Amino acid sequence: MSDTATAHHDDGHLSLNNDNKKLLMWLFLGSDCMFFGTLISTHLIYRKIYPESFDPTSLFSLELTSFSTFILLMSSFLMALAVSAMHKGELKSFRRNVLGVIFFGLIFLGCQVYEFAHFVHEGLTLSTNTFGSTFYMMTGTHGVHVAIGVFWLICMYFYSHTGKMDAHESAVDVEIAGLYWHFVDIVWIVIFTAVYLIEFI
Amino acid sequence: MSDVHYAPLPVSTKSHKDSETDKYHTFVNLALCLAAITGVELVLVYLPFNATFIFTVLLTLSLFKFVAVIAWFMHLLYDKLLLTLAFGTGMAIATGTFVALGSLISRSNVDLDAITAF
Amino acid sequence: MSQTETATPAPKTSHAHQLHVLKPERSRLGLMRPDHSKSVFIDWLTTVDHKKIGIMYGAIALFFLFIGGIEALIIRTQLIVPENNLISAERYNQLFTMHGTTMIFLAVMPLNSAFFNFLIPLQIGARDVAFPRINALSLWSFVAGALVINFGWLLEALQMMGLFAASGPTAGMTDLAPSGGWFGYAPLSSKEYSGVGTDFWIMGLQILGVASLTASMNFIVTILNMRAPGMKMMRMPVFTWMSLVVAFLIIFAFPAITIALGQLMFDRTFGTNFFNVAGGGQPILWQHLFWIFGHPEVYILVLPAMGIISEVLPTFSKKPLFGYSIVIFSGAVIGFLGFAVWSHHMFTTGLGKVATAAFSLLTMAIAVPTGVKIFNWVGTIWGGRIRFTAPMIFSLGFVWMFMMGGFSGIMHAAAPADAQQQDSYFVIAHFHYVIMGGIFLALVSGIYYWVPKVFGKMWTGSLSTWVAVLIVVGLNVTFFPMHFLGLLGMPRRTHTYLEGFGWSTYNLVCTIGSYILAIGILLLLVDLIRCLRSGEPAGDDPWDARTLEWATTSPPQVYNFAKTPIIPARDALWSHKHGPEGKKITYEDDHGHGIHMPSNSWMPLIASIGFVPLGLGMTLKQAGVPYMGSLAIFGLFVITLGLALWAIEGPGGFHLHPEEDEA
């Protein structure tokens, strides 16, 4: 079976492949900075040139948004633990943490759906004014990112039960899913400050 | 989604596990820190301070959260420099471009009479 | 902890008799992988080989070059005499829109991509790109995007034949082909002023964006991580370096247009206010977002051309590239500065004095690294033993013609002059000198240079000289008078013009030139076909070239290099042929376990096919055609299904043993 040469050969492939996947994910995230940069700057530019057109302070509930920010930050924490668990090969701990991330992600999405429904009920729709257009598209795109992340992690959770997952092969897959999840989190950190908090100063 | 074949390796060394345990403590500390900052931010906007002061503090805090998540949760601190460069380039170009764009468009360019919505 | 089950039995069983494990195997999914040994057709549809993907990119790009060329000829024929009535003004708008879009996104970019795909792994000594299946996804989603963009033409053709009419459920479908110009300025592209063609354009470009983004990330990973031992960054061929810069430009520039197109689509489909003036939207924002993408796009087009030139000139001058590191550095500087000059397309919109001055200065600054490159190329041929082969003639043409385009570019950089030239034929002259005289000549040079490597056939006869003469004469006769037309005040995108403006003679000359150019390009295709049909075998290194791709066979085997080369120096092959003993290419011993190759896969194709119903569904939904929302969702479902099966399927792979193959 595997003589030393083969082991060496596969070792090369494994580490190289891990490097490739990680670099691909980081490049995607670098590119994603431009995506969210465009969305957030569109929002801020319209806020800047029409400060009087719409007052969101009566609409926004800082308590709710702070809660969902907190939830997302904690999900990021659990994700970091899940990646760590996978590196140690502790599959059970990995599952527990990933379930936590999924749960928190769903809470975040729930808050966002509630928030959108509430805003629409209060009369702010996509076509009401520029604020509605930019706000919904920006937070909506972020929400879609979260939803994709939740879907990805659910797939991983079920995959971990097939017995095909182990520390060596899957750690990097979990890690790049984690990178994606953390990125979604940092985008929200920016949105929370630049879109929500700033309106209340 | 790999396209290169690989096979299982022998279990890695113990020091690897130790470093993961160290990371665990870092993660817990950071999580507490992030939660606290979010709380501070929430309280801060209601306090009767100078707007510029609050704005600066908010910006600093969110920048700290941003960098902290990238550095520790996303392992960028522990990882290769190349990854930092790949992400940093994107971040730098995005920041530069959109700060410039924001300062290029101002209210004085806008024909407010043409707008019927408000 | 469970054991990993890999799709390949390879490392677990004996290596001795894995010869031709090209048979389909069961993937992790339990499905059969495509059998590439039976049907050539299936092999090409499911291939993950970067060389086949490159060839397909090239073939499709040449097809669209032909289409875009026909569109240009109709435009020029319409303008041959004043008050001509060959085509309607509406059709004219559609033609110049599709001419620009086709040439940039469907001809030049994929032709660049063809070179990237074929050459990058060969030039860095890799077996394939880092993610072969993602590479296949890029190709097929490019094809899907091209179909969606051109769907309007299909409908126009059906309408002309009486097979399609905008009535009943399709009553909302007006203006079938896009007509808002290649940069689709708002509010011209808003719902009030344009029909379903603009939606085809939006969705098509979105899908092409997916193709470009995935391909670029793949290339960056390939170049940074997959280099053969000894192939340090500063030993890489310049073409690979320029590809790396371009790939970075693409991943940071395309998101801006993706979001802008998304916003425009939301404006048209869901009534948002991004660019809707009455609702507070600012059309100027579209211009900014478009050019934040659009200006780097110019360098995305031109840098690969500069890479090609930097390969061809040293080979046929028998000298190393003069100032290798400076050429690379200036390429990177051009790329970086490319993000800081977008507003020079918008000088006349009133940016304010400070902004105008800043963008003017930065634009002029780009001339510095570009000039550095020109001097380096001149330095390369200076005192060289020059051979006037076909690739060399086109490359020399590039240096000259590209400089002409550069000069008028400097003129635009001065904002006061630009205010005069904005939207006139002067601009058309400028960017056609850059694109036709620059990029296109370089690409033709690349075709002449690398086709012997790609197909293993050598060019026959001297038709290439005629091609060069006709193309260079044709493009000068076509585009040089346009400078004067612009200075005489002829605006671009004019359907027709009156007599007595002094434009008639120039327009006549331009049109004659465009036909000369067309004949030249047609002869190029004839030459290509002749080469493929009756070319002599080229041999590994027909040009006495310098870089690594010429060290392998022509055409290269599926595995590129039988054994991984160890690179001793820059210009590896030259060093191997003429260098001292310690500077020869050596090869890694593979210890007899052969070459690991990725398996073919249906999944990239299936996922990409989903883009077609998604794109068409979104478009036609906006036009009010019933059930189209469901079609779009179906498309999304197909994409998700393809990607999910892709993930479950696993990479697979098989081992080849080239020595025994070749024996």
Side-chain angles (χ1 to χ4, degrees), chain C residues 255-277:
Chain C
I257 187 83
T258 305
I259 296 298
L261 285 169
Q263 292 171 339
L264 186 62
M265 187 195 86
F266 265 57
D267 269 8
R268 296 175 59 90
T269 312
F270 304 113
T272 52
N273 298 309
F274 290 105
F275 311 116
N276 167 23
V277 179

Side-chain angles (χ1 to χ4, degrees), chain A residues 20 31 46 50 127 133 163 166 169, chain C residues 2 4 251 271 273-274 280 282:
Chain A
N20 286 352
S31 178
Y46 279 133
Y50 308 131
S127 51
S133 304
D166 67 60
E169 186 185 345
Chain C
S2 63
T4 316
I251 66 168
N273 298 309
F274 290 105
Q282 291 293 318

Side-chain angles (χ1 to χ4, degrees), chain B residues 18-34:
Chain B
D18 288 347
S19 77
E20 291 295 337
T21 317
D22 288 346
K23 276 185 201 165
Y24 177 78
H25 294 298
T26 317
F27 291 160
V28 174
N29 290 340
L30 183 58
L32 291 173
C33 210
L34 292 174

Side-chain angles (χ1 to χ4, degrees), chain C residues 383-398:
Chain C
R385 205 177 303 155
I386 297 173
R387 286 176 287 160
F388 283 100
T389 55
M392 186 64 172
I393 293 172
F394 281 101
S395 282
L396 293 174
F398 166 92

